[in-house]
Structures are given as structure tokens and as C-alpha cells.
Amino acid sequence: MSRDGAGAASTAWSPVYSTVRTDSATVRVAVAGEGPPLLLLTGIGANIEMWEPAARHLTRRRLVMLDVPGTGGSPALRVGLRMRGYAHLVTQVLDALGLDRVDVLGYSWGGALAQQLAHQAPERVRALVLAATTPGVGGQPPWPWVLALMSSPARYYSRTYLRLTAPLVFGTGPRAAADSLHGRARLHRPPSIVGYTQQLHAISGWSSRWWLRQLDHPTLVIGARRDPLARPRNADILAAALPHARLEMVDGGHLFLLEDPQQSCALVEDFLCDQDAGASVEPVGAQSGR
């Protein structure tokens, strides 16, 4: 089994970067590959380059990635947003790229954003993949010491700190977190303190429990059995509440999609290929009649 994006089955990593300017933000965007568009929304503080291990295994998709304001190459917002505001920002990016409807893979904090996007702009989302994420308030929270460690972006600035905290926060080994392809990308482009704080503010008190049952998108929920941050019970809660959900559990920690991309991306590809097959037999006009 290949690890961290290595292996003959992987595709080349050659994203094309651009900048999208909206009414409230300047957003760094990258697009890679060919096929149906798949929007990747990542964890708190994370940057586009951290997607590389997974991107090398999502070979059948046109991957659309962005640096949330205050991360990677996107300046922080002048005025912070809540999750609803971030979802509106994502729709503006999709508009600028000419993408009317996309599949969405939301990872960790990005999984909350993916839920919010599907809730307030359901016509823009064909299918959802929710990985290592939670419904927010009403889900199973992390242990208090995990929350305390997550309140700081120090793991993006110090390799030593990342190695020390990775087992507690991510349920992974120190070297797998810090000395890997995604670990190097994490440390190379840390988020700004302002941007990280804005993301924390956005998700504080947020919950999807009130409206999860209204989401009629086909959804793949992937949880990890050794995830201290998005504890396994959250995957059960999401899958039970979503009307058209498929649940998969993997043996790994919070970073499973980056540390074992071959296995987890195969689940994603199989699920999305099922959606492709279903769409190919829909009657004319069915896709626009949501």
C-alpha cells in the first residue's frame, strides 16, 4: 500500500493557481486534473499544498482547491465571518470559476463548511463527502485537552511542537505528521494568527443538527476509529441524520486522508463514480430540478 501520495497509481501534482477577488476577500485558488469538478475544503489553518497526497490519488476529478482567507496565500479578512459567510464566499469563488454545480469533499473544519454550503446553496452541490468531521454543537466534542491544543496554530510554526502534539490531537505518529509531504507543506505555509482566529470564531457555537435531515444530497461519511479530534461517534451521528448517507470507518487517526490516501481516496472515487453512473441515466432536465 502506498503512503503519503507515493506509488505508481498516483497522478502528477500540477495545479494551476489563480486569484479570485470577491466583495470581502482575495482568495488563492488552484485547479488540478480533468473530469467532473470536486471542490476540496480542508481543515482549520490548512493550505492548498497539504492536499497533495490525496490529490495524487483522486485521478478522475478536476480538483478545485482554495486557501480560506488567512491561510496559505490568501490574506486574512478585514472583518471575520461565521460559517454562513464562509459558505457564501465559496459560492462566489465557484461563480468566478464558472462552476454551477460541484461535488464537495469537506475535511475536518472543511467538513462543517461543506455541510453549511449544501444547506444554504443546495443547488450548487451534487454530492457530499464528509471526512473526519462533526455536526458541531450536538456532536461528540473532543476531549478538553485536545480543544486546548487546537486553540493555537503553533503546530503550523514548529516541527517540534507538531511532533509532540500529533499523537494527542490527530491520533497519529510524530514523524507521520511532521516529516511527511503534507507535514512539510503545513510548516512551509502557516496560517496567520488573525486568519486562524477568524476560523475558530466562525465555527464556535456552530451546529448542523437543526437541519441535517433536510440535506437530500448523496453523502459519503468517512470516520476514523482513532481520531481524537472528530471522534468516531460523530460519523455515526452524521450518517444517521443525513437521509442519503453511506458510512465508512477506517483504521486511522484524524489525518487518514493524507496519511493513507490510497485506501481513503479509493472510497471517495468509488462513491463519486456511483454518482456519475446515476447521473448518466437521469432523464433530461432531472439535474436542474432539485
Side-chain angles (χ1 to χ4, degrees):
M1 181 176 292
S2 70
R3 298 279 175 172
D4 204 27
S10 303
T11 188
W13 169 253
S14 54
V16 176
Y17 292 90
S18 62
T19 300
V20 171
R21 291 178 172 83
T22 73
D23 53 8
S24 63
T26 300
V27 182
R28 178 175 176 253
V29 176
V31 178
E34 300 290 338
L38 173 61
L39 174 65
L40 303 181
L41 301 174
T42 191
I44 187 168
N47 57 65
I48 288 169
E49 285 73 20
M50 289 176 64
W51 278 115
E52 182 175 354
R56 288 180 177 275
H57 289 271
L58 294 169
T59 57
R60 303 177 187 180
R61 307 288 144 187
R62 177 157 65 118
L63 305 179
V64 180
M65 300 156 281
L66 59 97
D67 285 334
V68 168
T71 71
S74 297
L77 297 161
R78 289 191 295 272
V79 178
L81 300 170
R82 300 291 283 174
M83 294 306 287
R84 185 175 184 85
Y86 279 103
H88 178 64
L89 178 62
V90 170
T91 63
Q92 291 180 306
V93 171
L94 295 178
D95 289 342
L97 297 176
L99 296 171
D100 293 330
R101 200 169 184 224
V102 295
D103 297 323
V104 182
L105 192 167
Y107 197 29
S108 193
W109 186 94
L113 180 54
Q115 293 170 64
Q116 185 67 46
L117 176 66
H119 172 57
Q120 69 188 58
E123 73 285 353
R124 306 303 294 267
V125 177
R126 186 186 72 153
L128 277 171
V129 179
L130 303 176
T133 194
T134 83
V137 175
Q140 184 180 36
W143 300 111
W145 56 86
V146 176
L147 281 175
L149 291 170
M150 284 297 295
S151 67
S152 165
R155 65 192 179 282
Y156 283 93
Y157 287 85
S158 167
R159 178 174 278 105
T160 300
Y161 186 87
L162 178 57
R163 285 173 174 161
L164 288 171
T165 58
L168 293 172
V169 175
F170 300 134
T172 191
R175 294 193 65 182
D179 302 327
S180 55
L181 195 62
H182 63 88
R184 293 190 295 273
R186 175 194 297 273
L187 293 160
H188 181 66
R189 283 186 176 271
S192 70
I193 301 298
V194 172
Y196 192 89
T197 303
Q198 287 173 339
Q199 286 187 272
L200 282 176
H201 168 72
I203 203 168
S204 63
W206 175 86
S207 177
S208 62
R209 291 299 300 270
W210 306 106
W211 41 258
L212 271 178
R213 295 190 182 280
Q214 300 172 21
L215 301 186
D216 65 352
H217 308 81
T219 305
L220 172 64
V221 178
I222 312 177
R225 296 186 179 92
R226 292 185 284 106
D227 187 345
L229 188 54
R231 294 165 66 187
R233 175 65 181 148
N234 290 289
D236 294 327
I237 292 170
L238 288 168
L242 290 160
H244 307 291
R246 178 191 307 177
L247 174 63
E248 296 282 354
M249 298 298 297
V250 299
D251 290 317
H254 190 70
L255 302 178
F256 67 84
L257 196 61
L258 306 178
E259 293 184 347
D260 188 5
Q262 185 171 3
Q263 178 194 17
S264 49
C265 289
L267 293 173
V268 175
E269 286 276 22
D270 289 348
F271 169 74
L272 294 178
C273 284
D274 287 347
Q275 310 316 309
D276 296 340
S280 68
V281 298
E282 283 184 355
V284 174
Q287 290 191 22
S288 60
R290 292 186 64 81

